[in-house]
Amino acid sequence: MTQSGSTEFAKTAAAGGAGDVYGGAAGAAASSSSDVLLNNFQLKKKSYRVLLHGQHLVWERMQRQSVKRPNETQKVPLPEQQLTAGAESSYGAHSHILHMDDIISICTGNSKHESLQPPPSNRDQQQADGDTKPTAQFLTINYAERLSKSKTDCNRWQLRRITFYNADAYIVRQWQLQLQARVASSPTGGQRVQRLLVFINPFGGRKAGAQTYERFVRPLFQLAGIDATCITTQRANQIRDILLTHDLSCYEAVCCVGGDGTVAEVINGLVFRRMRELGLDEQRPAYIPRPTLPVAVIPAGSTDTIVYSMHGTADVRTAAIHVVLGQRRGLDVCSVSNNRTLLRFCASVLSYGYLGDVAAESEQYRWMGTRRYEYSGVKAFFSNRGYDAELQLLEEPTEPETPQSPASVYTEPPSVCYANCQRCSIASSLQEQRSTLFAANADESREELQPQQAEQQKKSAEQQAQPNDDATVAVNCESQLNEIETALYRSQLLRPTSLPLQPGGSYGSNMSLPSGLQLKTIRGNFFLICGANITCACARSPNGISRYSHLGDGCLDLILVRKTSFLNNVRFLLNTAGRAGDIRNLPFVEVYRTRKFIFRTLTTPATEENLSLAGSRQPIAQNGSDGVSSEYSSWNCDGEVVTDLDITMSSHCQLIDVFMRGPHSYSKPQKPGVSVPTTPVSSSDNIYCCCKD
């Protein structure tokens, strides 16, 4: 909700022009979203003029006009700009504007207390009651509002409600029907879920997952009319097993209440379920399919880096509000594999060295709760161990290929990911084109390969050729998208680095090189090796370990911290903890943006004995002290421990949809002389509104 404008409120209703202005009981018939609805209501015993115009609900207090002499004329200032239907500047200076995308529910009642109650669960019955004589005189609108002026956390959202009164019950009913219709027809109205499967992890973080859901989340879901089926987990990998084996056709989304490990378990379950539905080899898939169900995340863990990176805060109400409003964005997911098989999928960070030691050490102190990370972190920090390793990655060229080509993305100041991020929007459009081409090529390939035999022979031939056909289609789509990706990415200072999993290729050592890319090999002794899929921000590290990582651009940041002195390690931690710090300025830190990297140790070749999961695809947490010598570290994958020594990490652009709008930049004034990451005006001054396209 915002305040705006420089012109009169009443002129906007006339400027709407596309429909009628309804008054009284007239206009009981349904109208289109371009029509205008204008009536007088009472709000806190004061008269207000309320306007419903397009996707905006506007209300303004009615002022008394002083009596003027007959010959006296009142001078009215000219508007600053021409009236535009739907623009905020078209309304009065004291108007309050609410967009339909931010409305949670609309309720009516014979009293104010009755209108504040959650809507009935059977909405069809509620619509059927429209034929009876209306009696409700109170109209309550429940909506969400971002605390954009907050000095501490401008990314938090809160529940608001406003109650209008009108003595004419027919007017109240007309407004209720119109508001409900326009909310349903809004851009995000069709994405709102009605049936939700909720997994609650009662053991994660502070072990308050069940209490968090009952106190903060369930009331919001009931207010929005969401039918939620809750399952409280009792063991590790139970969520994954349920997602793989149970029928999910009656649900529109999957929600998890827990930490980063719970989120990773949900994502792994959905992706592997989709592989089974398509008949792909789960150990060596030709490509990684996109799950059909979106994911909602409610924070109830120790650090909740995934939620913090998505929303800019780990507030529970904010996460629940985004689920209710239904707006979604694509989130990158990384696949983690060894020389033999695909192990699991990673949503936040894959770390080796310091953070891997912290994760392995903290497994022994789970009884300490969230304090175990502090204790294990201090122990690993003072040990200051380094590990020899070799990494191979595809580095984007720093020089343009032609004089007409724009400069590389690395020659410009790095940008952070924000709401309505342009870089992620371009990647989203590429994914839509990729899906379209894949579907078209799949149909053509299957028609060409269909044998001219009997019906039974046709079915058997299709079943046998299905995996190979999908693999061929995946490779053909990648080759056809090269020109499209190059054109779109170059226009926005981005470069395509498409790296699909090649059918029949090795998951460890072989790496295909698309045109224009160079293979870079890095060897050394490292204190920390980190593959960041997101910023990995949290309350203690607001910028995260990779502040310039984007949520849905299809790239990951490879962060290499060389083994140096204890003092340099302190400098590294201070730069990750503060808002003004930037680890790229440290001489012993290297950051590479890539889509795939390969890691291997220098002292011992990879053998079957070094594989922690022995080819298993299940995301099972392993004890860092089992099967691995103290000479090596462990991998920290979304808070879980993996002890494989040779790892390949590949990014998959917007593999899964999550309920979020994206974070907003911190609004606290920066100190003079401190460099600030570049962000657009709509996020740096925190005036982003979902009513803006």
Side-chain angles (χ1 to χ4, degrees), residues 446-482:
R446 287 164 185 165
E447 289 179 0
E448 294 176 358
L449 295 177
Q450 185 177 11
Q452 302 298 328
Q453 298 177 357
E455 187 67 20
Q456 186 65 26
Q457 295 177 351
K458 293 180 184 179
K459 294 182 180 180
S460 60
E462 288 179 359
Q463 293 177 357
Q464 296 176 0
Q466 178 69 28
N468 295 330
D469 295 344
D470 291 339
T472 305
V473 170
V475 176
N476 293 337
C477 289
E478 295 294 338
S479 60
Q480 293 187 25
L481 278 176
N482 283 338

mmCIF file of all heavy atoms in Angstrom, residues 446-482:
data_model
loop_
_atom_site.group_PDB
_atom_site.id
_atom_site.type_symbol
_atom_site.label_atom_id
_atom_site.label_comp_id
_atom_site.label_asym_id
_atom_site.label_seq_id
_atom_site.Cartn_x
_atom_site.Cartn_y
_atom_site.Cartn_z
ATOM 1 N N ARG A 446 9.775 -38.196 -31.912
ATOM 2 C CA ARG A 446 8.974 -39.396 -31.693
ATOM 3 C C ARG A 446 8.140 -39.739 -32.915
ATOM 4 O O ARG A 446 7.874 -40.916 -33.197
ATOM 5 C CB ARG A 446 8.086 -39.185 -30.475
ATOM 6 C CG ARG A 446 8.878 -39.240 -29.178
ATOM 7 C CD ARG A 446 8.123 -38.655 -28.023
ATOM 8 N NE ARG A 446 8.953 -38.625 -26.824
ATOM 9 C CZ ARG A 446 8.673 -37.925 -25.745
ATOM 10 N NH1 ARG A 446 7.594 -37.186 -25.701
ATOM 11 N NH2 ARG A 446 9.485 -37.961 -24.705
ATOM 12 N N GLU A 447 7.721 -38.728 -33.678
ATOM 13 C CA GLU A 447 6.974 -39.016 -34.896
ATOM 14 C C GLU A 447 7.866 -39.653 -35.953
ATOM 15 O O GLU A 447 7.455 -40.557 -36.678
ATOM 16 C CB GLU A 447 6.360 -37.719 -35.433
ATOM 17 C CG GLU A 447 5.220 -37.196 -34.570
ATOM 18 C CD GLU A 447 4.656 -35.899 -35.118
ATOM 19 O OE1 GLU A 447 5.169 -35.436 -36.169
ATOM 20 O OE2 GLU A 447 3.715 -35.369 -34.517
ATOM 21 N N GLU A 448 9.126 -39.178 -36.052
ATOM 22 C CA GLU A 448 10.033 -39.733 -37.051
ATOM 23 C C GLU A 448 10.464 -41.150 -36.701
ATOM 24 O O GLU A 448 10.673 -41.994 -37.579
ATOM 25 C CB GLU A 448 11.261 -38.837 -37.188
ATOM 26 C CG GLU A 448 10.935 -37.465 -37.765
ATOM 27 C CD GLU A 448 12.153 -36.575 -37.787
ATOM 28 O OE1 GLU A 448 13.219 -37.038 -37.313
ATOM 29 O OE2 GLU A 448 12.057 -35.427 -38.270
ATOM 30 N N LEU A 449 10.632 -41.426 -35.389
ATOM 31 C CA LEU A 449 11.113 -42.738 -34.977
ATOM 32 C C LEU A 449 9.997 -43.759 -34.798
ATOM 33 O O LEU A 449 10.262 -44.907 -34.474
ATOM 34 C CB LEU A 449 11.887 -42.600 -33.654
ATOM 35 C CG LEU A 449 13.175 -41.783 -33.735
ATOM 36 C CD1 LEU A 449 13.797 -41.653 -32.348
ATOM 37 C CD2 LEU A 449 14.160 -42.423 -34.697
ATOM 38 N N GLN A 450 8.777 -43.339 -35.010
ATOM 39 C CA GLN A 450 7.664 -44.271 -34.804
ATOM 40 C C GLN A 450 7.634 -45.304 -35.930
ATOM 41 O O GLN A 450 7.496 -44.956 -37.105
ATOM 42 C CB GLN A 450 6.346 -43.500 -34.775
ATOM 43 C CG GLN A 450 5.149 -44.380 -34.443
ATOM 44 C CD GLN A 450 3.879 -43.561 -34.359
ATOM 45 O OE1 GLN A 450 3.867 -42.403 -34.743
ATOM 46 N NE2 GLN A 450 2.818 -44.158 -33.876
ATOM 47 N N PRO A 451 7.780 -46.569 -35.643
ATOM 48 C CA PRO A 451 7.820 -47.604 -36.703
ATOM 49 C C PRO A 451 6.432 -47.833 -37.286
ATOM 50 O O PRO A 451 5.415 -47.666 -36.618
ATOM 51 C CB PRO A 451 8.333 -48.846 -35.961
ATOM 52 C CG PRO A 451 7.918 -48.625 -34.543
ATOM 53 C CD PRO A 451 7.937 -47.139 -34.302
ATOM 54 N N GLN A 452 6.436 -48.207 -38.545
ATOM 55 C CA GLN A 452 5.195 -48.510 -39.249
ATOM 56 C C GLN A 452 4.882 -49.995 -39.069
ATOM 57 O O GLN A 452 4.994 -50.788 -39.982
ATOM 58 C CB GLN A 452 5.354 -48.157 -40.735
ATOM 59 C CG GLN A 452 5.717 -46.719 -41.013
ATOM 60 C CD GLN A 452 4.639 -45.771 -40.534
ATOM 61 O OE1 GLN A 452 3.455 -46.118 -40.546
ATOM 62 N NE2 GLN A 452 5.045 -44.585 -40.106
ATOM 63 N N GLN A 453 4.483 -50.327 -37.856
ATOM 64 C CA GLN A 453 4.157 -51.714 -37.522
ATOM 65 C C GLN A 453 2.835 -51.737 -36.775
ATOM 66 O O GLN A 453 2.133 -50.724 -36.688
ATOM 67 C CB GLN A 453 5.278 -52.336 -36.693
ATOM 68 C CG GLN A 453 6.619 -52.398 -37.431
ATOM 69 C CD GLN A 453 7.724 -52.949 -36.558
ATOM 70 O OE1 GLN A 453 7.505 -53.237 -35.381
ATOM 71 N NE2 GLN A 453 8.909 -53.091 -37.125
ATOM 72 N N ALA A 454 2.563 -52.872 -36.176
ATOM 73 C CA ALA A 454 1.316 -53.037 -35.444
ATOM 74 C C ALA A 454 1.324 -52.170 -34.192
ATOM 75 O O ALA A 454 2.352 -51.670 -33.753
ATOM 76 C CB ALA A 454 1.122 -54.515 -35.073
ATOM 77 N N GLU A 455 0.127 -52.000 -33.583
ATOM 78 C CA GLU A 455 -0.008 -51.108 -32.437
ATOM 79 C C GLU A 455 0.805 -51.598 -31.254
ATOM 80 O O GLU A 455 1.421 -50.801 -30.537
ATOM 81 C CB GLU A 455 -1.494 -51.003 -32.040
ATOM 82 C CG GLU A 455 -1.790 -49.972 -30.954
ATOM 83 C CD GLU A 455 -1.554 -48.555 -31.435
ATOM 84 O OE1 GLU A 455 -1.541 -48.337 -32.655
ATOM 85 O OE2 GLU A 455 -1.354 -47.675 -30.580
ATOM 86 N N GLN A 456 0.853 -52.890 -31.044
ATOM 87 C CA GLN A 456 1.610 -53.415 -29.924
ATOM 88 C C GLN A 456 3.100 -53.207 -30.128
ATOM 89 O O GLN A 456 3.837 -52.905 -29.176
ATOM 90 C CB GLN A 456 1.315 -54.909 -29.734
ATOM 91 C CG GLN A 456 1.941 -55.514 -28.497
ATOM 92 C CD GLN A 456 1.357 -54.921 -27.221
ATOM 93 O OE1 GLN A 456 0.220 -54.448 -27.224
ATOM 94 N NE2 GLN A 456 2.115 -54.942 -26.135
ATOM 95 N N GLN A 457 3.588 -53.352 -31.339
ATOM 96 C CA GLN A 457 4.999 -53.142 -31.615
ATOM 97 C C GLN A 457 5.367 -51.666 -31.493
ATOM 98 O O GLN A 457 6.491 -51.328 -31.111
ATOM 99 C CB GLN A 457 5.336 -53.654 -33.021
ATOM 100 C CG GLN A 457 5.165 -55.158 -33.192
ATOM 101 C CD GLN A 457 5.450 -55.607 -34.611
ATOM 102 O OE1 GLN A 457 5.619 -54.788 -35.516
ATOM 103 N NE2 GLN A 457 5.488 -56.922 -34.805
ATOM 104 N N LYS A 458 4.430 -50.802 -31.788
ATOM 105 C CA LYS A 458 4.688 -49.368 -31.639
ATOM 106 C C LYS A 458 4.949 -49.015 -30.173
ATOM 107 O O LYS A 458 5.900 -48.305 -29.836
ATOM 108 C CB LYS A 458 3.500 -48.555 -32.140
ATOM 109 C CG LYS A 458 3.268 -48.651 -33.628
ATOM 110 C CD LYS A 458 2.064 -47.795 -33.999
ATOM 111 C CE LYS A 458 1.741 -47.938 -35.479
ATOM 112 N NZ LYS A 458 0.556 -47.124 -35.853
ATOM 113 N N LYS A 459 4.093 -49.527 -29.292
ATOM 114 C CA LYS A 459 4.237 -49.209 -27.874
ATOM 115 C C LYS A 459 5.549 -49.745 -27.315
ATOM 116 O O LYS A 459 6.246 -49.062 -26.567
ATOM 117 C CB LYS A 459 3.056 -49.784 -27.093
ATOM 118 C CG LYS A 459 1.728 -49.133 -27.458
ATOM 119 C CD LYS A 459 0.591 -49.713 -26.617
ATOM 120 C CE LYS A 459 -0.735 -49.069 -26.979
ATOM 121 N NZ LYS A 459 -1.852 -49.623 -26.177
ATOM 122 N N SER A 460 5.908 -50.961 -27.665
ATOM 123 C CA SER A 460 7.148 -51.523 -27.145
ATOM 124 C C SER A 460 8.362 -50.775 -27.681
ATOM 125 O O SER A 460 9.350 -50.558 -26.960
ATOM 126 C CB SER A 460 7.246 -53.007 -27.523
ATOM 127 O OG SER A 460 7.224 -53.147 -28.937
ATOM 128 N N ALA A 461 8.329 -50.375 -28.936
ATOM 129 C CA ALA A 461 9.455 -49.632 -29.505
ATOM 130 C C ALA A 461 9.604 -48.275 -28.832
ATOM 131 O O ALA A 461 10.722 -47.815 -28.575
ATOM 132 C CB ALA A 461 9.263 -49.463 -31.014
ATOM 133 N N GLU A 462 8.476 -47.607 -28.538
ATOM 134 C CA GLU A 462 8.538 -46.304 -27.874
ATOM 135 C C GLU A 462 9.102 -46.441 -26.467
ATOM 136 O O GLU A 462 9.896 -45.617 -26.023
ATOM 137 C CB GLU A 462 7.153 -45.670 -27.828
ATOM 138 C CG GLU A 462 6.666 -45.190 -29.168
ATOM 139 C CD GLU A 462 5.276 -44.589 -29.078
ATOM 140 O OE1 GLU A 462 4.722 -44.589 -27.952
ATOM 141 O OE2 GLU A 462 4.760 -44.135 -30.094
ATOM 142 N N GLN A 463 8.702 -47.477 -25.745
ATOM 143 C CA GLN A 463 9.209 -47.671 -24.390
ATOM 144 C C GLN A 463 10.704 -47.940 -24.384
ATOM 145 O O GLN A 463 11.434 -47.459 -23.525
ATOM 146 C CB GLN A 463 8.466 -48.831 -23.727
ATOM 147 C CG GLN A 463 6.992 -48.527 -23.467
ATOM 148 C CD GLN A 463 6.265 -49.720 -22.882
ATOM 149 O OE1 GLN A 463 6.846 -50.792 -22.724
ATOM 150 N NE2 GLN A 463 4.990 -49.536 -22.562
ATOM 151 N N GLN A 464 11.205 -48.702 -25.354
ATOM 152 C CA GLN A 464 12.630 -48.998 -25.391
ATOM 153 C C GLN A 464 13.455 -47.799 -25.848
ATOM 154 O O GLN A 464 14.578 -47.596 -25.400
ATOM 155 C CB GLN A 464 12.894 -50.184 -26.323
ATOM 156 C CG GLN A 464 12.255 -51.486 -25.840
ATOM 157 C CD GLN A 464 12.461 -52.610 -26.830
ATOM 158 O OE1 GLN A 464 13.086 -52.423 -27.873
ATOM 159 N NE2 GLN A 464 11.933 -53.784 -26.502
ATOM 160 N N ALA A 465 12.905 -46.996 -26.718
ATOM 161 C CA ALA A 465 13.666 -45.867 -27.274
ATOM 162 C C ALA A 465 13.469 -44.584 -26.498
ATOM 163 O O ALA A 465 14.093 -43.583 -26.806
ATOM 164 C CB ALA A 465 13.256 -45.629 -28.734
ATOM 165 N N GLN A 466 12.588 -44.605 -25.480
ATOM 166 C CA GLN A 466 12.281 -43.365 -24.763
ATOM 167 C C GLN A 466 13.504 -42.687 -24.155
ATOM 168 O O GLN A 466 13.727 -41.506 -24.364
ATOM 169 C CB GLN A 466 11.237 -43.650 -23.672
ATOM 170 C CG GLN A 466 10.863 -42.448 -22.814
ATOM 171 C CD GLN A 466 10.081 -41.425 -23.589
ATOM 172 O OE1 GLN A 466 9.386 -41.760 -24.536
ATOM 173 N NE2 GLN A 466 10.223 -40.159 -23.214
ATOM 174 N N PRO A 467 14.373 -43.334 -23.372
ATOM 175 C CA PRO A 467 15.521 -42.634 -22.794
ATOM 176 C C PRO A 467 16.447 -42.047 -23.850
ATOM 177 O O PRO A 467 16.892 -40.924 -23.718
ATOM 178 C CB PRO A 467 16.216 -43.713 -21.954
ATOM 179 C CG PRO A 467 15.156 -44.737 -21.688
ATOM 180 C CD PRO A 467 14.304 -44.742 -22.920
ATOM 181 N N ASN A 468 16.738 -42.793 -24.911
ATOM 182 C CA ASN A 468 17.633 -42.284 -25.935
ATOM 183 C C ASN A 468 17.020 -41.100 -26.666
ATOM 184 O O ASN A 468 17.705 -40.153 -27.039
ATOM 185 C CB ASN A 468 17.982 -43.385 -26.928
ATOM 186 C CG ASN A 468 18.779 -44.506 -26.271
ATOM 187 O OD1 ASN A 468 19.506 -44.259 -25.322
ATOM 188 N ND2 ASN A 468 18.630 -45.718 -26.769
ATOM 189 N N ASP A 469 15.686 -41.151 -26.904
ATOM 190 C CA ASP A 469 15.038 -40.035 -27.584
ATOM 191 C C ASP A 469 15.139 -38.772 -26.751
ATOM 192 O O ASP A 469 15.424 -37.693 -27.263
ATOM 193 C CB ASP A 469 13.561 -40.367 -27.833
ATOM 194 C CG ASP A 469 13.431 -41.539 -28.809
ATOM 195 O OD1 ASP A 469 14.437 -41.849 -29.472
ATOM 196 O OD2 ASP A 469 12.338 -42.121 -28.887
ATOM 197 N N ASP A 470 14.881 -38.881 -25.451
ATOM 198 C CA ASP A 470 14.961 -37.714 -24.592
ATOM 199 C C ASP A 470 16.371 -37.151 -24.564
ATOM 200 O O ASP A 470 16.562 -35.940 -24.537
ATOM 201 C CB ASP A 470 14.516 -38.078 -23.170
ATOM 202 C CG ASP A 470 13.016 -38.375 -23.123
ATOM 203 O OD1 ASP A 470 12.311 -37.918 -24.041
ATOM 204 O OD2 ASP A 470 12.581 -39.054 -22.173
ATOM 205 N N ALA A 471 17.370 -38.029 -24.545
ATOM 206 C CA ALA A 471 18.743 -37.541 -24.530
ATOM 207 C C ALA A 471 19.066 -36.788 -25.816
ATOM 208 O O ALA A 471 19.705 -35.735 -25.801
ATOM 209 C CB ALA A 471 19.713 -38.718 -24.350
ATOM 210 N N THR A 472 18.606 -37.342 -26.966
ATOM 211 C CA THR A 472 18.867 -36.666 -28.233
ATOM 212 C C THR A 472 18.171 -35.320 -28.290
ATOM 213 O O THR A 472 18.731 -34.326 -28.758
ATOM 214 C CB THR A 472 18.386 -37.552 -29.390
ATOM 215 O OG1 THR A 472 19.010 -38.825 -29.287
ATOM 216 C CG2 THR A 472 18.716 -36.916 -30.731
ATOM 217 N N VAL A 473 16.929 -35.265 -27.793
ATOM 218 C CA VAL A 473 16.184 -34.016 -27.790
ATOM 219 C C VAL A 473 16.875 -32.979 -26.921
ATOM 220 O O VAL A 473 16.951 -31.801 -27.262
ATOM 221 C CB VAL A 473 14.744 -34.268 -27.306
ATOM 222 C CG1 VAL A 473 14.036 -32.961 -27.053
ATOM 223 C CG2 VAL A 473 13.984 -35.074 -28.340
ATOM 224 N N ALA A 474 17.396 -33.400 -25.759
ATOM 225 C CA ALA A 474 18.067 -32.456 -24.867
ATOM 226 C C ALA A 474 19.272 -31.825 -25.541
ATOM 227 O O ALA A 474 19.493 -30.621 -25.459
ATOM 228 C CB ALA A 474 18.495 -33.168 -23.579
ATOM 229 N N VAL A 475 20.074 -32.642 -26.251
ATOM 230 C CA VAL A 475 21.250 -32.102 -26.929
ATOM 231 C C VAL A 475 20.845 -31.187 -28.071
ATOM 232 O O VAL A 475 21.437 -30.124 -28.290
ATOM 233 C CB VAL A 475 22.134 -33.257 -27.432
ATOM 234 C CG1 VAL A 475 23.315 -32.724 -28.218
ATOM 235 C CG2 VAL A 475 22.603 -34.096 -26.254
ATOM 236 N N ASN A 476 19.794 -31.566 -28.825
ATOM 237 C CA ASN A 476 19.349 -30.721 -29.925
ATOM 238 C C ASN A 476 18.846 -29.379 -29.432
ATOM 239 O O ASN A 476 19.087 -28.340 -30.053
ATOM 240 C CB ASN A 476 18.243 -31.433 -30.722
ATOM 241 C CG ASN A 476 18.763 -32.659 -31.452
ATOM 242 O OD1 ASN A 476 19.951 -32.765 -31.718
ATOM 243 N ND2 ASN A 476 17.867 -33.580 -31.772
ATOM 244 N N CYS A 477 18.128 -29.362 -28.302
ATOM 245 C CA CYS A 477 17.622 -28.105 -27.748
ATOM 246 C C CYS A 477 18.766 -27.197 -27.349
ATOM 247 O O CYS A 477 18.710 -25.983 -27.551
ATOM 248 C CB CYS A 477 16.719 -28.373 -26.546
ATOM 249 S SG CYS A 477 15.130 -29.100 -26.997
ATOM 250 N N GLU A 478 19.800 -27.788 -26.750
ATOM 251 C CA GLU A 478 20.929 -26.963 -26.332
ATOM 252 C C GLU A 478 21.595 -26.304 -27.527
ATOM 253 O O GLU A 478 21.957 -25.131 -27.488
ATOM 254 C CB GLU A 478 21.943 -27.823 -25.566
ATOM 255 C CG GLU A 478 21.425 -28.367 -24.251
ATOM 256 C CD GLU A 478 21.167 -27.263 -23.257
ATOM 257 O OE1 GLU A 478 21.748 -26.171 -23.397
ATOM 258 O OE2 GLU A 478 20.362 -27.481 -22.338
ATOM 259 N N SER A 479 21.738 -27.050 -28.635
ATOM 260 C CA SER A 479 22.398 -26.476 -29.799
ATOM 261 C C SER A 479 21.545 -25.403 -30.444
ATOM 262 O O SER A 479 22.062 -24.407 -30.945
ATOM 263 C CB SER A 479 22.708 -27.580 -30.808
ATOM 264 O OG SER A 479 21.511 -28.223 -31.235
ATOM 265 N N GLN A 480 20.207 -25.562 -30.426
ATOM 266 C CA GLN A 480 19.346 -24.564 -31.033
ATOM 267 C C GLN A 480 19.256 -23.300 -30.197
ATOM 268 O O GLN A 480 18.987 -22.224 -30.712
ATOM 269 C CB GLN A 480 17.938 -25.141 -31.241
ATOM 270 C CG GLN A 480 17.892 -26.256 -32.260
ATOM 271 C CD GLN A 480 16.474 -26.669 -32.565
ATOM 272 O OE1 GLN A 480 15.549 -25.890 -32.406
ATOM 273 N NE2 GLN A 480 16.307 -27.902 -33.003
ATOM 274 N N LEU A 481 19.455 -23.405 -28.906
ATOM 275 C CA LEU A 481 19.332 -22.245 -28.036
ATOM 276 C C LEU A 481 20.609 -21.423 -27.971
ATOM 277 O O LEU A 481 20.616 -20.368 -27.362
ATOM 278 C CB LEU A 481 18.950 -22.692 -26.618
ATOM 279 C CG LEU A 481 17.471 -22.955 -26.385
ATOM 280 C CD1 LEU A 481 17.266 -23.481 -24.977
ATOM 281 C CD2 LEU A 481 16.641 -21.718 -26.612
ATOM 282 N N ASN A 482 21.696 -21.895 -28.553
ATOM 283 C CA ASN A 482 22.942 -21.147 -28.435
ATOM 284 C C ASN A 482 22.815 -19.744 -29.000
ATOM 285 O O ASN A 482 23.226 -18.763 -28.395
ATOM 286 C CB ASN A 482 24.069 -21.901 -29.149
ATOM 287 C CG ASN A 482 24.553 -23.073 -28.321
ATOM 288 O OD1 ASN A 482 24.367 -23.089 -27.118
ATOM 289 N ND2 ASN A 482 25.144 -24.053 -28.971
#
